[in-house]
Amino acid sequence: METARPRTRAAARLGAHATREEQRKRRPVRRWQRRRIGEEQEEAVFREVVSFTRDPLPARYYDKDTTKPISFYLPSLEELLAWTPDAEDSFNVALEPLKCRQPPLSSQRPRTLLCHDMMGGYLDDKFIQGSAAQNPYCFYHWQCIDIFVYFSHHLVTIPPVGWTNAAHRHGVCVLGTFIAEWKEGGQLCEAFLAGDERSYQAVADQLVLIAQFFRFDGWLINIESSLSLAAVGNVPPFLRYLSTQLCRQVPGGLVLWYDSVVSSGQVKWQNELNEQNRIFFDSCDGFFTNYNWQEEHLDRMVAQAGERRADVYVGVDVFARGNVVGGQFDTHKSLELIRKHGFSAALFAPGWVYECLEKRDFFQNQDKFWGLLGRYLPPHSICSLPFVTSFCLGMGTRRVCYGQEEAVGPWYHPSAQEIQPLFAEQRPEGDGQGWVKTHCCLADAWNGGSSLLLRGVIPPEVGHVAVRLFSLHVPVPPKIFLSMVYKLEGPSDVGVALELTTGDAGSCHVGGISTLSETSSRHSPRPLRVPPTKLARWVGHCGQQLSGGWVQRCYEVNLQGCVLQDLWVSFSRPPGSREQEAFVCRLGELQVVDANSLLRPLPRVQAVSVSRVRWQRAAPEEEEEQRPARLRLSCALHWSYPLSHVRCFRIHCCRATGSPAEGPPGPEKPALLGLAFVNQYRVVDLAVAAAGPGTDGRVEFLVEPVPREGFLVPKAEWGRAALLYSGPHT
């Protein structure tokens, strides 16, 4: 597991201990060897005698019912101060660094913060390796927000890693919550704030270390308990110290203060920034107001905020509790006033559309809610290559891998959510009939669990309609490779084309591309009939019909001194058609890749190990249904791979029995176990056959890296480990 070297005082104190713990817990099963299984492939072979002795798993890190790895919170000050990085914590470390974006968060453009508060938190999203949840909550309007806060009523809310991975992929920063409430919260705050600076600095150091280790971006500080004069007097230096240390250890880190306690120590929600709470605003990166404001509060705040208006996040309770402006489907009324005064907005609990409305209508209600806010939510742009998305929402009713169905059944894995588009309705200028609308859709997928559905109409008056899907700001290399996988639903001869917008990064020269008009910066690349020879290993199906009716279009574009700004999909009427043309199209994948990056050699997955093995006898009803006798295997897999090269890992297994003298069994189609976003995976309750007398049972684990460029990797680059097991000694 790649983690940053500990740099805070707390980390330096704890680093050696964490290393020893990690070595102890990752110690593999006792006997192992390496076996060459081909000219280029090796696998590690581990031997284990089945034993039903339980090795208890730490309750904080594993679900008590399923033993699956889970994200966690810290409920007390003692646990916060005692926390040290542990081997088990590595499951919860984000893979995705915060993506570069434009404009940067530090700009003075008013921002949008989403505060996710849902039924106490840590629901299906706590399962790090995913779950089989049906109809889970899913957020996908990422390009419209700037900051994501994971909120719960536990003292230290560490964001579940799935949210951090999804948000960072979209250039959205993630904050945890430090909250103290009621009498108990007041006592807790007195314990670390009423003393000298060493007490509050120790708490701040731990909050910095947690954000740094788990790779999220900062904290919302919410103290809703009355404080003594001594304690409230130490809040500003606590916030300043926390903000300074966080900025040193977490690039772009943020500390926000919630409008509750005033400078006297009383809990008095002001619903605005004023002289009673300004000292806290001046001590950190931003101020999150309470929700019961009116326009006069905003008028007064303009002078209070001065040049820092974008650092004032005006709270909007989407549930519309109390004396509020807007809320629910009228939330746009709040946003209109907030933007009128130049402030940022903090949307609290937009999961209202999921909690309070019909689950079967969730996607329609979610799109309606965010669609009503669209004019007040300027999107930000993604600034890096490769840019690859299959539009997967991180959930589905089945799993698909490049058009091939792998498994049927509900699944939910927030880390697996891919970059989502701008969900909008696009109409041609000056025309009231033509349109294109985008929707996410679970009914079909090219890779993952969902695709992007585009419905539209081309009226007789126009030749084509187009929709902007992504806002980018990418200084592009000299040659880029683009790919689009799509299919038209039903009989249709409508033309589908990928278009892109370029900006001038000095003197932009575009080659191998058609400009749509003399004054336009929007271009239509010409599709390749066959892939370039050097790239054929990666993309051998350009221009071909693929399984499931999908089609792949490939493009190679030469650009010099250009900035790639937008990606569009255009739909044109068939030659000779003069009627209105309706169409339904699914997008399965878009790729924009530096062509030279595809020529670099891939690293191999190395040093796959098997440890923390646990055996269980199958339940009696399973024994009756299946012969031979069955066992349930749980274990931890670890491997070595540079995480900067990978989108995720796909974990497979092959199960067999046989004599060890016979060597590995014949070819068997690997079964997908799940996805990993770190260099480890926990196998849970895998059904395997019990080893018979004089034979070994055998299960092979395969670790398939999925590169950031989004192509399949040859099996020779996969990692392998086999576990041979024999029956318990009698």
Side-chain angles (χ1 to χ4, degrees), residues 455-495:
R455 299 178 183 273
V457 167
I458 309 171
E461 295 83 6
V462 299
H464 77 282
V465 293
V467 60
R468 183 174 70 134
L469 294 182
F470 294 100
S471 173
L472 307 176
H473 189 88
V474 181
V476 291
K479 182 176 290 186
I480 59 173
F481 174 82
L482 303 95
S483 169
M484 176 175 64
V485 176
Y486 72 94
K487 68 176 172 180
L488 290 164
E489 298 287 312
S492 177
D493 293 321
V494 166

Side-chain angles (χ1 to χ4, degrees), residues 248-296:
R248 288 175 179 169
Q249 307 302 336
V250 179
L254 288 177
V255 175
L256 305 183
W257 173 262
Y258 177 66
D259 167 21
S260 49
V261 169
V262 294
S263 56
S264 67
Q266 296 174 283
V267 177
K268 294 178 69 175
W269 297 274
Q270 299 296 292
N271 304 299
E272 64 178 313
L273 174 67
N274 59 29
E275 289 301 325
Q276 295 193 64
N277 52 35
R278 185 185 176 86
I279 190 171
F280 309 119
F281 175 59
D282 291 339
S283 303
C284 65
D285 300 302
F287 184 86
F288 184 147
T289 79
N290 194 46
Y291 313 103
N292 295 299
W293 51 267
Q294 299 296 319
E295 187 168 10
E296 56 264 30

Side-chain angles (χ1 to χ4, degrees), residues 628-682:
R630 309 289 281 180
L631 300 172
R632 292 282 176 180
L633 166 65
S634 299
C635 61
L637 306 178
H638 294 87
W639 56 89
S640 175
Y641 196 86
L643 293 178
S644 60
H645 291 256
V646 77
R647 289 166 77 189
C648 68
F649 301 94
R650 290 161 43 85
I651 313 302
H652 310 266
C653 76
C654 297
R655 288 162 285 197
T657 58
S659 168
E662 298 172 1
E668 175 187 324
K669 183 179 180 181
L672 179 69
L673 295 178
L675 305 179
F677 292 81
V678 289
N679 280 334
Q680 61 187 41
Y681 183 83
R682 178 156 183 81

Side-chain angles (χ1 to χ4, degrees), residues 50-52 54 615-620 622-623 630-632 728:
V50 174
S51 170
F52 300 108
R54 287 295 186 95
W615 298 96
Q616 287 181 281
R617 295 181 177 88
E622 293 181 273
E623 292 284 5
R630 309 289 281 180
L631 300 172
R632 292 282 176 180

Side-chain angles (χ1 to χ4, degrees), residues 419-727:
I419 299 175
Q420 297 299 306
L422 295 164
F423 289 92
E425 178 176 351
Q426 200 99 17
R427 294 179 179 272
E429 293 183 12
D431 181 78
Q433 301 178 56
W435 51 269
V436 186
K437 294 181 73 171
T438 55
H439 309 272
C440 49
C441 183
L442 302 177
D444 201 356
W446 166 249
N447 191 28
S450 56
S451 56
L452 184 68
L453 192 67
L454 298 97
R455 299 178 183 273
V457 167
I458 309 171
E461 295 83 6
V462 299
H464 77 282
V465 293
V467 60
R468 183 174 70 134
L469 294 182
F470 294 100
S471 173
L472 307 176
H473 189 88
V474 181
V476 291
K479 182 176 290 186
I480 59 173
F481 174 82
L482 303 95
S483 169
M484 176 175 64
V485 176
Y486 72 94
K487 68 176 172 180
L488 290 164
E489 298 287 312
S492 177
D493 293 321
V494 166
V496 184
L498 183 64
E499 296 178 357
L500 52 91
T501 304
T502 58
D504 189 349
S507 57
C508 178
H509 174 74
V510 180
I513 200 167
S514 300
T515 303
L516 298 180
S517 72
E518 290 186 5
T519 59
S520 175
S521 61
R522 208 164 102 206
H523 312 278
S524 179
R526 290 189 288 269
L528 298 169
R529 293 187 178 182
V530 295
T533 303
K534 291 182 179 180
L535 304 184
R537 172 191 178 190
W538 291 107
V539 283
H541 302 288
C542 293
Q544 297 182 20
Q545 190 90 7
L546 307 175
S547 60
W550 297 94
V551 175
Q552 184 176 22
R553 293 278 183 265
C554 303
Y555 312 85
E556 192 178 42
V557 177
N558 298 310
L559 299 168
Q560 292 183 6
C562 300
V563 172
L564 180 60
Q565 291 185 324
D566 299 293
L567 290 178
W568 299 68
V569 174
S570 173
F571 301 90
S572 57
R573 63 173 56 260
S577 167
R578 300 187 182 277
E579 303 296 324
Q580 177 169 288
E581 294 282 348
F583 60 87
V584 178
C585 178
R586 293 187 188 279
L587 282 188
E589 187 175 66
L590 283 179
Q591 294 172 291
V592 184
V593 180
D594 178 353
N596 287 330
S597 73
L598 300 179
L599 305 178
R600 298 173 192 144
L602 289 170
R604 292 186 180 183
V605 176
Q606 296 181 331
V608 182
S609 67
V610 183
S611 61
R612 298 294 291 265
V613 176
R614 289 161 53 102
W615 298 96
Q616 287 181 281
R617 295 181 177 88
E621 57 271 20
E622 293 181 273
E623 292 284 5
E624 289 296 323
E625 292 175 5
Q626 301 186 37
R627 300 295 182 192
R630 309 289 281 180
L631 300 172
R632 292 282 176 180
L633 166 65
S634 299
C635 61
L637 306 178
H638 294 87
W639 56 89
S640 175
Y641 196 86
L643 293 178
S644 60
H645 291 256
V646 77
R647 289 166 77 189
C648 68
F649 301 94
R650 290 161 43 85
I651 313 302
H652 310 266
C653 76
C654 297
R655 288 162 285 197
T657 58
S659 168
E662 298 172 1
E668 175 187 324
K669 183 179 180 181
L672 179 69
L673 295 178
L675 305 179
F677 292 81
V678 289
N679 280 334
Q680 61 187 41
Y681 183 83
R682 178 156 183 81
V683 179
V684 177
D685 287 342
L686 177 66
V688 298
T695 63
D696 283 340
R698 187 180 193 278
V699 57
E700 183 182 31
F701 298 106
L702 301 97
V703 180
E704 174 191 2
V706 179
R708 290 195 178 275
E709 290 78 10
F711 298 100
L712 288 171
V713 170
K715 286 188 178 181
E717 316 296 343
W718 297 15
R720 296 169 176 268
L723 177 66
L724 302 182
Y725 56 94
S726 56

Side-chain angles (χ1 to χ4, degrees), residues 11-64:
R13 198 171 60 241
L14 303 171
H17 170 78
T19 302
R20 289 193 300 271
E21 277 294 291
E22 186 167 328
Q23 290 173 347
R24 180 182 67 81
K25 293 187 176 179
R26 290 187 179 178
R27 189 175 298 133
V29 291
R30 282 185 295 264
R31 298 174 56 199
W32 70 280
Q33 65 189 66
R34 292 209 175 270
R35 171 180 290 162
R36 185 171 294 277
I37 56 175
E39 291 186 6
E40 298 181 344
Q41 291 178 282
E42 277 190 352
E43 72 175 5
V45 180
F46 298 85
R47 292 182 176 273
E48 171 83 359
V49 176
V50 174
S51 170
F52 300 108
T53 303
R54 287 295 186 95
D55 178 15
L57 295 170
R60 174 188 290 172
Y61 302 107
Y62 297 94
D63 181 60
K64 63 182 178 61

Side-chain angles (χ1 to χ4, degrees), residues 106-122:
S106 58
S107 76
Q108 288 305 301
R109 187 180 81 170
R111 309 171 195 117
T112 304
L113 179 152
L114 186 158
C115 192
H116 177 67
D117 174 36
M118 182 170 287
M119 297 180 282
Y122 299 98

